[in-house]
Amino acid sequence: MYLQGDLQTVFDALYHMGVIDPVLNMDWSEAMDDLPTYHDDLNHVVTIVNSHKGSMGELMSELGRFDNTLLGYLAMEVAREFADFHSRDSLH
């Protein structure tokens, strides 16, 4: 499942929640080994993010219901999609 909408808002929400810095400092390859354990939960969070139409504060409130490990995976997904977007943008 892919994130839809404003990736910057999702990134900003995660940043203000303190999720981004720990994710930047972690070993992503090790984290990816554990991703299958969180796959269904991550899809649920992505669905919530994709359906969100309110403010960043409301998004932060919704995301605050989930644990930091799951939010870390969401942050990695945001980073992956930013990278995909920028690589497509630079090719055209």
Side-chain angles (χ1 to χ4, degrees):
M1 178 172 285
Y2 293 101
L3 288 166
Q4 300 170 355
D6 188 357
L7 287 175
Q8 187 64 52
T9 299
V10 180
F11 176 87
D12 291 345
L14 292 169
Y15 179 81
H16 288 295
M17 294 174 71
V19 175
I20 298 297
D21 285 335
V23 168
L24 292 175
N25 293 317
M26 72 179 2
D27 179 353
W28 285 27
S29 62
E30 185 178 306
M32 287 295 134
D33 290 342
D34 294 334
L35 180 59
T37 305
Y38 291 92
H39 185 272
D40 292 338
D41 293 331
L42 180 58
N43 281 339
H44 177 69
V45 173
V46 169
T47 299
I48 288 171
V49 169
N50 287 347
S51 66
H52 180 77
K53 303 293 183 217
S55 70
M56 185 177 69
E58 291 170 345
L59 179 59
M60 289 171 59
S61 178
E62 289 183 45
L63 293 177
R65 298 182 291 145
F66 301 99
D67 68 39
N68 281 346
T69 302
L70 186 55
L71 294 177
Y73 285 115
L74 178 61
M76 287 183 245
E77 181 61 21
V78 170
R80 187 186 65 76
E81 292 194 26
F82 264 133
D84 286 350
F85 172 78
H86 286 292
S87 69
R88 285 190 309 271
D89 191 43
S90 66
L91 291 175
H92 298 319

